[in-house]
């Protein structure tokens, strides 16, 4: 069960990291012109917090799975 959660979490982390708009323009210009995610600064802050939380959860699950395999 933990293996499945860990696998899904790693896939979602890859997706959310690629979803982030680049800081040098690119999709950022689209994000400032569209209210798709609300305010660009609040959306970016939410994605930063979500990414950090999921990375911590990913690492904790990796440690737990490593100790289970010993």
């Amino acid at each position: 069960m933990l293996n499945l959660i860990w696998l899904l979490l790693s896939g979602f982390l890859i997706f959310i990291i690629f979803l982030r708009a680049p800081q040098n323009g690119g999709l950022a210009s689209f994000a400032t012109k569209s209210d798709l995610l609300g305010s660009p600064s609040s959306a970016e802050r939410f994605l930063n917090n979500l990414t950090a939380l999921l990375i911590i959860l990913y690492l904790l699950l990796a440690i737990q799975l490593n100790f289970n395999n010993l």
Side-chain angles (χ1 to χ4, degrees):
M1 181 67 182
L2 282 179
N3 285 336
L4 179 62
I5 294 171
W6 184 71
L7 185 62
L8 291 174
L9 185 60
S10 64
F12 186 70
L13 272 170
I14 291 170
F15 173 74
I16 200 168
I17 288 171
F18 281 128
L19 180 70
R20 304 253 337 247
Q23 299 296 326
N24 60 358
L27 292 177
S29 63
F30 171 76
T32 58
K33 295 177 185 173
S34 172
D35 289 337
L36 183 65
L37 294 174
S39 170
S41 61
S42 67
E44 184 177 353
R45 189 172 352 132
F46 172 75
L47 285 176
N48 286 342
N49 291 340
L50 181 64
T51 304
L53 179 71
L54 291 179
I55 288 173
I56 291 169
L57 182 62
Y58 176 86
L59 290 173
L60 290 174
L61 281 174
I63 292 169
Q64 178 66 32
L65 289 171
N66 189 30
F67 283 130
N68 283 345
N69 288 334
L70 291 178

